[in-house]
Amino acid sequence: MATSLSDRLGAELTGLRDSGLLIHPRVLEAPQRARTRVDGHDVVNLASNNYLGFADHPEIKARAEQYLREWGAGAGAVRTIAGTLQIHEDFERQLAEFKHTGSALVLQSGFTTNQGVLGTLLREGDLVVSDELNHASIIDGLRLTKATKRIYKHADPEDLDRVLSENDTGGLKLVVTDGVFSMDGDIAPLGRLIEVARKYGAVTYVDDAHGSGVLGEAGRGTVHHFGYEHADDVIQVGTLSKAWGAVGGYAAGHRDLRELLINRARPYLFSTAQPPAVVGALSEALELVQRDPSFMERLWENTRYFKAELARLGFDTMGSQTPITPVLFGEAGAAFEASRRLLDEGIFAVGLGFPTVPRGQARIRNIVTAEHTREDLDQALAAYERVGRALGVVG
């Protein structure tokens, strides 16, 4: 007899519950800021990707409201039929200028951008070589292609060289890496990866979800940080939902990349365009970060302070180089219990376990933002010390 839907759902949920991995998302009862309210608690927020504090910034909200009033609530259609408003094209030119690339195209999310771009570029007979810790959206995007797929060891140019040397092809060769890895907070050795890729005639594809708005001049990203922003053999993709405070994804690079994606990328072709308010918010975000360098300065000042103090207390932050600051607890139960205790202490920081991170490497991932004050960070550090001592994580 066939499995019923009820049986399948029940069995899957029971398995997650028994393994301690069942997720119950916390509910925010106030705007996304450095201090917010979660499940009835007033908290210091260390769980958000709101790096620059733009999600509730008054100037960004004002531009969103302006575009809403002038252009309406929605685009009304997919871009290729009747959904391309002048503001969409204006923002894409602005984004290409910001990224120092020949073109840029905006899609509905960072996740769908990877699906659309990888699905468009790769075909049977091509080779794609991917870092073993790349984001799930890259993994899913690659599953949609018929290209030959290979993995190289995390952030290891020598292993990338080995894999490319052992897998020759007459088709397109693509090396795929995150710019900043979302769970460990480390930066890809992009300069060395690009040079290895060029040795074999390969294109480098960088998912800069956590590097855009964080690294490079005015937050132009990891590619800019390493000085390759003008390179036609480097493709940048990413999200507009983290540092930029809104939602969407982008692809930037070669001058012809945009036109091909317009014609072939399925998420672009079959999803309604971004609402005008989102476009307005994003346009203001790019202008704001360029005219006011204090956002980036505060982000990195807070990051350095928080990491140094966690290390002084004896916590393992796993070699993070960016505002993503994991605190290692080992087993999922310990990380989830620490997260619960921190919330009781007024600190919102979420525990992560398998399959989000490998077994035995459960952690709490903290993200420091430009909006946090020293008082916020000191409150969080004091709570971490109490919880860490109570759980035997630090002495």
Side-chain angles (χ1 to χ4, degrees):
M1 186 173 66
T3 301
S4 71
L5 176 61
S6 180
D7 287 344
R8 172 57 56 82
L9 296 175
E12 291 291 331
L13 290 171
T14 297
L16 289 169
R17 193 176 295 111
D18 290 348
S19 62
L21 299 175
L22 189 65
I23 297 170
H24 298 284
R26 300 289 186 181
V27 177
L28 272 67
E29 298 156 354
Q32 185 67 262
R33 302 203 64 173
R35 285 185 179 262
T36 187
R37 188 168 180 81
V38 177
D39 290 351
H41 296 75
D42 291 321
V43 296
V44 174
N45 182 6
L46 291 174
S48 168
N49 297 313
N50 186 27
Y51 289 106
L52 300 176
F54 283 179
D56 193 48
H57 193 281
E59 292 178 53
I60 291 173
K61 291 193 293 184
R63 181 74 74 89
E65 181 180 356
Q66 175 194 337
Y67 275 42
L68 171 66
R69 293 184 182 280
E70 292 180 3
W71 291 92
V78 299
R79 293 278 300 267
T80 53
I81 296 178
T84 296
L85 306 177
Q86 184 63 55
I87 53 174
H88 289 121
E89 298 224 322
D90 290 345
F91 175 67
E92 286 163 346
R93 282 192 291 271
Q94 180 186 6
L95 181 59
E97 290 174 3
F98 177 75
K99 286 286 188 178
H100 296 167
T101 55
S103 70
L105 186 73
V106 171
L107 292 94
Q108 289 71 24
S109 72
F111 203 106
T112 59
T113 296
N114 274 323
Q115 293 178 323
V117 180
L118 293 169
T120 296
L121 290 178
L122 294 168
R123 61 185 65 173
E124 191 170 3
D126 292 341
L127 172 69
V128 57
V129 188
S130 182
D131 187 292
E132 64 181 343
L133 295 187
N134 276 341
H135 190 263
S137 60
I138 292 173
I139 295 170
D140 282 6
L142 293 178
R143 285 173 177 162
L144 298 175
T145 79
K146 295 183 178 180
T148 299
K149 305 167 187 69
R150 297 289 183 265
I151 304 297
Y152 68 94
K153 294 177 183 177
H154 175 55
D156 188 336
E158 287 74 24
D159 196 53
L160 173 62
D161 191 299
R162 178 192 63 79
V163 175
L164 285 169
S165 70
E166 294 175 356
N167 294 272
D168 197 13
T169 178
L172 180 70
K173 297 176 186 178
L174 195 67
V175 173
V176 182
T177 181
D178 282 4
V180 172
F181 289 87
S182 60
M183 291 296 111
D184 293 354
D186 55 326
I187 303 171
L190 195 56
R192 295 167 64 201
L193 295 175
I194 290 173
E195 294 311 308
V196 172
R198 286 176 172 175
K199 177 180 173 182
Y200 295 94
V203 174
T204 304
Y205 179 105
V206 183
D207 183 333
D208 214 26
H210 288 274
S212 191
V214 174
L215 294 174
E217 180 191 7
R220 287 182 169 87
T222 308
V223 175
H224 187 280
H225 175 73
F226 283 94
Y228 289 89
E229 69 272 18
H230 295 291
D232 278 347
D233 60 348
V234 177
I235 295 171
Q236 302 180 53
V237 303
T239 180
L240 297 162
S241 62
K242 294 181 170 60
W244 308 121
V247 70
Y250 68 86
H254 191 285
R255 65 182 181 278
D256 291 335
L257 177 65
R258 180 178 187 274
E259 187 171 4
L260 179 61
L261 293 174
I262 287 172
N263 285 274
R264 294 286 300 278
R266 291 171 69 83
Y268 179 90
L269 290 167
F270 298 106
S271 296
T272 297
Q274 285 186 311
V278 169
V279 181
L282 292 170
S283 181
E284 178 64 25
L286 289 191
E287 293 176 15
L288 184 56
V289 76
Q290 291 177 85
R291 69 174 179 260
D292 186 349
S294 69
F295 292 101
M296 294 280 294
E297 291 166 359
R298 288 197 305 273
L299 172 64
W300 282 99
E301 180 182 346
N302 285 342
T303 295
R304 287 188 289 269
Y305 176 75
F306 191 64
K307 286 183 187 297
E309 290 300 299
L310 283 172
R312 183 183 63 79
L313 292 172
F315 287 102
D316 182 355
T317 58
M318 305 181 69
S320 167
Q321 302 166 279
T322 64
I324 298 171
T325 306
V327 172
L328 182 65
F329 285 88
E331 298 305 318
F336 295 161
E337 176 62 20
S339 178
R340 286 190 288 270
R341 294 192 184 200
L342 285 169
L343 187 62
D344 290 340
E345 297 261 3
I347 308 301
F348 181 37
V350 176
L352 301 170
F354 182 82
T356 305
V357 296
R359 295 186 189 277
Q361 294 185 29
R363 70 202 64 179
I364 291 177
R365 186 184 70 163
N366 307 273
I367 296 184
V368 178
T369 74
E371 193 180 18
H372 284 108
T373 65
R374 185 59 58 89
E375 180 184 359
D376 296 334
L377 299 180
D378 284 342
Q379 181 180 335
L381 289 162
Y384 255 108
E385 182 174 16
R386 289 190 291 271
V387 170
R389 290 184 184 280
L391 295 178
V393 176
V394 294

